[in-house]
Structure formats: C-alpha cells, structure tokens
Amino acid sequence: METTTEQQIAEWMVNEIKFRGMLRQEEAIEHVKQHFGEQYIFVNENGNASLEKEVKKAFRKLHKGRVAWDRDGFFWAWT
C-alpha cells in the first residue's frame, strides 16, 4: 500500500509528539507548508491556519487516542 502524503504528515506529527512530548499548531503548520505544501493547510472560520481534514483524520487514526489537543494552548500533547 502506498503511503499518502496525509499519512506522512500524520506520522511526522506523531513522531514529533512522541519525541518532544508536544507539538504546537503553529510549528506543525509551518513544517507542513515547507515540507509538504500549502494544499494541506486552510484558514478556518476563526481565521486561524489549520490542517486539512484528511490530515487530521489520518493523525487521529494513527495516534489512537494517545494524543490530546489543548484548545487554550493550541498544541497537541502525548497523554
């Protein structure tokens, strides 16, 4: 099975969180833009840059609930 770019982004994110304990949204957005392309980023209804839906879907599937989103701090952390 070929690895999709969404899957590659999700794997990068999970590895970063495993290694560092957390990943800030702004860091993830910048890394994805530089290494994978702007097509994986969109501006949400609040005017914030966000990861594309398929990326988030692959990410959730990969971490299986072991990563939590901190709404106030705009970061993901290992649980």
Side-chain angles (χ1 to χ4, degrees):
M1 188 173 101
E2 190 177 317
T3 303
T4 64
T5 303
E6 290 88 355
Q7 184 69 25
Q8 291 172 322
I9 294 169
E11 288 170 4
W12 171 79
M13 290 174 67
V14 168
N15 287 334
E16 282 293 298
I17 296 164
K18 275 185 187 175
F19 179 72
R20 297 172 45 205
M22 55 102 65
L23 175 63
R24 295 196 175 283
Q25 181 173 344
E26 63 198 27
E27 295 170 331
I29 298 291
E30 197 52 44
H31 181 87
V32 169
K33 273 188 199 176
Q34 288 180 7
H35 295 89
F36 299 100
E38 300 226 6
Q39 68 268 33
Y40 298 101
I41 307 297
F42 75 99
V43 176
N44 67 20
E45 62 278 356
N46 298 325
N48 300 316
S50 183
L51 295 169
E52 190 254 334
K53 185 172 76 174
E54 290 301 312
V55 171
K56 289 193 260 191
K57 193 166 136 186
F59 176 61
R60 281 191 301 275
K61 190 174 177 183
L62 191 61
H63 73 64
K64 298 177 182 156
R66 294 173 299 193
V67 171
W69 170 246
D70 184 298
R71 252 177 224 202
D72 298 328
F74 289 95
F75 66 86
W76 295 273
W78 201 251
T79 58

